[in-house]
Amino acid sequence: MNKQKRREILERLRNENPHPTTELNFTSPFELLIAVLLSAQATDVSVNKAMAKMFPVANTPQAVWNLGVDGVKDYIKTIGLFNTKAVNVIKTCRMLLDLHDGEVPENRAALEALPGVGRKTANVVLNTAFGWPTIAVDTHIDRVSNRTGFAKGDTVVKVEEKLLKVVPAEFKVDVHHWLILHGRYTCVARKPRCGSCIIEDLCEFKDKTE
């Protein structure tokens, strides 16, 4: 895909949604960190429902730590992998308290050192909480990038590297939100909704649907 076509795709996505953000509900970097940590292999809707009950009770590292593993489990038992996630949440809170004065660090290495936080989660937090031009590649972004021809790669890291290379600076802060939403609602996995896609004429996918 050439530079001009990529730019047109990004401009159309921006025109449709000038101020995109995550569909996870949060009011602080800590709430975002916990929500993203819980969203692995789970839907944003399920995380939002659980956090709507937990955050009014506990939304700081100290308050969540005070809940303990069993207390956190009670709030997140509707979310996939909740046993492991509850342990990671508590360990993360302890590390934030011990190493970062209870604050979420604006630092990739420090974020990735937290239990249950990988590169993708760190990218989301750095981007959405702190405005970094990072691109968190999930299954939706991987699919959209490869299917459209926008940024091909056989691993999520390679897709991320390609996106960082080909996306102009002015779009970098918002591009991962646009691509996630496009993959979630239009360029869906089994049968993409090409007929209602605003970039259908620019997309290089060969097996388009009506």
Side-chain angles (χ1 to χ4, degrees):
M1 182 174 286
N2 63 44
K3 185 188 299 185
Q4 184 178 353
K5 193 182 283 189
R6 286 196 184 98
R7 184 171 191 90
E8 177 67 22
I9 285 173
L10 294 169
E11 287 179 348
R12 288 189 194 178
L13 293 173
R14 179 171 64 185
N15 290 339
E16 185 184 50
N17 186 2
H19 305 291
T21 189
T22 178
E23 292 188 312
L24 292 167
N25 297 330
F26 72 99
T27 61
S28 69
F30 175 71
E31 288 189 359
L32 177 66
L33 172 65
I34 297 304
V36 178
L37 191 158
L38 294 173
S39 70
Q41 298 181 352
T43 65
D44 288 359
V45 171
S46 69
V47 174
N48 286 338
K49 283 182 180 178
M51 293 304 94
K53 295 176 182 177
M54 190 176 93
F55 284 152
V57 176
N59 70 340
T60 65
Q62 186 64 60
V64 175
W65 166 260
N66 291 343
L67 289 176
V69 172
D70 288 340
V72 171
K73 281 183 186 179
D74 285 341
Y75 286 107
I76 70 168
K77 58 192 175 186
T78 55
I79 298 173
L81 307 176
F82 73 93
N83 285 309
T84 301
K85 289 177 181 178
V87 173
N88 285 337
V89 165
I90 290 299
K91 287 181 177 177
T92 286
C93 289
R94 189 68 260 162
M95 286 181 68
L96 292 176
L97 291 165
D98 291 346
L99 303 178
H100 305 291
D101 298 319
E103 299 294 326
V104 175
E106 189 178 344
N107 176 285
R108 177 185 297 284
L111 285 168
E112 290 188 21
L114 299 170
V117 176
R119 182 176 182 84
K120 186 180 78 172
T121 298
N123 276 336
V124 173
V125 173
L126 290 170
N127 174 276
T128 306
F130 299 116
W132 285 32
T134 54
I135 301 174
V137 178
D138 69 350
T139 55
H140 296 301
I141 293 182
D142 183 57
R143 179 175 66 255
V144 171
S145 297
N146 277 290
R147 183 185 273 166
T148 61
F150 191 99
K152 291 189 174 183
D154 55 9
T155 69
V156 292
V157 173
K158 287 181 180 177
V159 170
E160 179 187 340
E161 290 171 350
K162 186 67 181 284
L163 286 168
L164 288 168
K165 182 179 178 182
V166 301
V167 173
E170 67 182 281
F171 300 105
K172 274 201 174 116
V173 170
D174 293 326
V175 67
H176 95 255
H177 296 301
W178 290 324
L179 295 180
I180 284 173
L181 293 171
H182 193 68
R184 189 172 284 167
Y185 297 112
T186 302
C187 197
V188 295
R190 291 190 178 180
K191 188 179 180 183
R193 296 166 184 146
C194 301
S196 61
C197 176
I198 62 167
I199 62 168
E200 189 268 344
D201 58 313
L202 301 169
C203 170
E204 297 179 356
F205 182 50
K206 290 183 173 60
D207 301 317
K208 290 178 182 170
T209 63
E210 291 298 322

